[in-house]
Amino acid sequence: MDKLSAALTIFVISGVFIIFAGMALAKYGDEIAEKTGWGTLWVGTILVSVSTSLPELTVNISAVWIEKSPGLALGNVFGANMINIFVIGIAALIFGTRNLFGNQGRETQVLVQSGIFLVAIAAVLAATGDFKLGPTSLGGLLIGAAYIIGMRAVFNAGRVALVAAEFEPAPKGSPRKAFIGFAIASIVVIIAGRFLASSADDIAEVTGIGASFIGVLLVSIVTTLPEGSVTMAACFRKSYGIAIGNVYGSCAFNVFVVTIADLFHDGPLLRAMEQAHFVAAAAAFLLMTMGFLVIRSCQTPAMPLARVLTPAIPVVYVVALYFVYMTAK
């Protein structure tokens, strides 16, 4: 078996493990939230989004620490955000824009704005020049601080809504089995992520396609399949808040991964940004903003025309992939 065939085989096998482990993470994360009484607010925005984003975290750490491929990691970050919005756009077309994006509270808007702001911070710092600060960098610190502040703002907005509705979620049994299942699934993701990053780097080397495009396309598709499956499952259950929280919570966490991966990289990770990464970052920013405008159009009569952006989301994603490919050649 030649090197390319071996790399593709390992890529597919590790991808399958990540998909099923990611789905298990979402299932057990949902169960933990229910049995601890943490409520649906954190199911979408924190627990499910973070658990389904563990593949991105594992792959990116492996890419920068073991494979020495920061281009692969950065491509995965922005590529994952692009495809997350692509999935929510497809879901809106299937289940109805108003059904999916309507009836969203203030916490959803705060979450969406936080995700968009994090992408903007990463792109601006990469363009202006990041520098190292101890074991991390200025960019890593700012992104980490922005993520924590943003998630706290989401939590506070959600608590205000619960108080206003005079509702407090109550625990529903022991979460012990759910925590065990969550831990096992996490270990599977960590191990499979190591092999996924290695095989993706080999594919980029053998084919001559840039690691940045491999990260934006192949790796991001595999690592975001858990988010996609959870989003569609939530829509079928008409849990539209969980679907949006999962997508934009994952987008925010994906950028936060830069802060963590920075600790394993020799020098600021954002300094490794290439032209293709900037294109992917701009596309992620545009797609996330389009999603936000659609949400606003369903909540205010002043922006009804923004709803037509829904069918444009998949088109923008495909066009952006083309430009990433052209700049990565």
Side-chain angles (χ1 to χ4, degrees), residues 85-215:
I85 306 304
F86 170 78
V87 169
I88 203 71
I90 295 296
L93 293 176
I94 295 173
F95 297 96
T97 299
R98 183 173 288 279
N99 289 336
L100 181 58
F101 292 115
N103 300 319
Q104 296 300 319
R106 172 62 182 162
E107 67 273 24
T108 301
Q109 293 188 40
V110 173
L111 173 64
V112 173
Q113 291 168 339
S114 297
I116 294 171
F117 184 61
L118 281 164
V119 172
I121 289 178
V124 170
L125 283 168
T128 56
D130 195 8
F131 58 86
K132 197 166 182 62
L133 283 176
T136 181
S137 66
L138 174 64
L141 290 175
L142 289 178
I143 289 173
Y147 178 79
I148 293 171
I149 292 171
M151 294 307 101
R152 180 172 176 78
V154 173
F155 175 79
N156 289 336
R159 299 308 297 179
V160 169
L162 288 176
V163 171
E166 297 183 350
F167 173 76
E168 190 71 25
K172 298 180 180 180
S174 172
R176 181 173 177 271
K177 290 184 179 179
F179 276 117
I180 293 174
F182 191 92
I184 293 173
S186 298
I187 293 172
V188 173
V189 167
I190 291 171
I191 296 173
R194 160 71 181 88
F195 288 99
L196 186 76
S198 174
S199 59
D201 200 40
D202 287 341
I203 293 171
E205 179 184 347
V206 174
T207 61
I209 300 174
S212 55
F213 182 71
I214 292 293

Side-chain angles (χ1 to χ4, degrees), residues 230-242:
V230 169
T231 298
M232 289 300 179
C235 288
F236 275 113
R237 296 193 306 268
K238 297 184 178 180
S239 299
Y240 300 120
I242 291 179

Side-chain angles (χ1 to χ4, degrees), residues 28-39 170-179:
Y28 289 120
D30 195 352
E31 192 174 327
I32 289 169
E34 179 183 0
K35 292 188 175 182
T36 56
W38 294 346
K172 298 180 180 180
S174 172
R176 181 173 177 271
K177 290 184 179 179
F179 276 117

Side-chain angles (χ1 to χ4, degrees), residues 256-269:
F256 175 63
V257 165
V258 171
T259 298
I260 302 173
D262 226 10
L263 299 173
F264 299 87
H265 183 57
D266 184 20
L269 181 58

Side-chain angles (χ1 to χ4, degrees), residues 42-74:
W42 290 113
V43 171
T45 58
I46 298 296
L47 276 181
V48 174
S49 67
V50 172
S51 63
T52 55
S53 293
L54 278 179
E56 285 91 340
L57 175 62
T58 306
V59 168
N60 287 359
I61 290 176
S62 295
V64 300
W65 188 25
I66 300 174
E67 303 305 321
K68 308 299 181 185
S69 181
L72 187 67
L74 290 166

